Amino acid sequence: MTVFHTVWESCQQRDSFLQPMWDYLRINHSGMLRSPLFPVILTVASYFVLCLPFLACDIMGEKWPAIYWYKIQPGKMPTPAMLLHCSGVTLYNHLLLVLPAAAAQWMWRPPIPLPEQAPTLLELAVGVVGNLLLFDFQYFVWHLLHHRVPWLYRTFHKVHHKNTATFALTTEYSGAWETLSLGFFAAVNPMLLGAHPMTEMLFHILNMWLSVEDHCGYDFPWSTSRLIPFGIYGGPSKHDVHHRKPNTNFAPHFSHWDKLFGTHADFSFVKTH
Ligand SMILES: [Zn+2]
Ligand SMILES: [Zn+2]
């Protein structure tokens, strides 16, 4: 039996890797898992934690000159005032808008079921990728509309474009409508796709990681866009192009919608236009 077959079979096995972890969560933290506030708290907490490594690069940049090798716009490091302002806007949006909206879900959302079985690794991977692809499509359409209709851009999306050189904390730097509508897509997709709670949790964390990485302002050799081959994935350089030339690269994660609609641009675009 080849290594491939062994890995493939273990991905399809139940009661393997994920079941003990799920049993622990389901038995000891069922109240937390059933709470409509949990996805919001998980998303906000993972946002600040995932920003930390990039924040360290931003703050320590002068002492770690090697960092500038990977900075997409090396001359544009954020100031402490910019970092504080972005953190304040994010906390404000989530405490005053997203948390009340999530609490309102109690009025209409049926109790979240907690199945006894954990997903297999294969079900987990397919579920997370499915959620990411659906979110990517919804965000692409939303984003395209909010650039093509001047009133929508001026009223709702312009605030996210205040920074032409992004840094991790600009990920959630946006107005109320943008925060709520994109948060709604992320919240509703696992329900639409019937995702297992474990799949939903991993989707929220991964979706946040990819969004932070898109805005981090660094293109490291281990960036997701460099690990995923064939230009399938956008990543920090492509989203940097969007903030400098906002009529390109509307999809948050993958490249296929921009390629299909003729709005795809790579990093050379900002040097030649
Ligand atoms: Zn952005
Ligand atoms: Zn935009």
Side-chain angles (χ1 to χ4, degrees), residues 139 160 166 170 215 239 242-243:
Y139 192 125
H160 180 67
T166 59
T170 57
H215 288 88
H239 198 68
H242 175 71
H243 275 260

Side-chain angles (χ1 to χ4, degrees), residues 134-197:
L134 182 56
F135 180 81
D136 190 69
F137 169 68
Q138 293 159 327
Y139 192 125
F140 173 80
V141 174
W142 186 99
H143 202 181
L144 188 73
L145 273 175
H146 283 72
H147 275 274
R148 293 289 155 85
V149 180
W151 179 79
L152 287 177
Y153 181 76
R154 274 196 316 274
T155 315
F156 298 119
H157 188 49
K158 194 178 174 186
V159 61
H160 180 67
H161 279 273
K162 185 182 170 194
N163 296 288
T164 51
T166 59
F167 47 94
L169 286 170
T170 57
T171 308
E172 295 275 313
Y173 185 78
S174 50
W177 168 248
E178 180 162 348
T179 303
L180 283 176
S181 47
L182 298 180
F184 174 76
F185 294 146
V188 87
N189 287 352
M191 282 187 262
L192 287 177
L193 297 180
H196 190 282

Side-chain angles (χ1 to χ4, degrees), residues 9-17 19 117-120 123:
E9 281 187 3
S10 67
C11 283
Q12 293 178 296
Q13 266 173 13
R14 257 169 234 290
D15 303 315
S16 57
F17 180 64
Q19 192 64 50
Q117 280 195 327
T120 63
E123 287 167 347

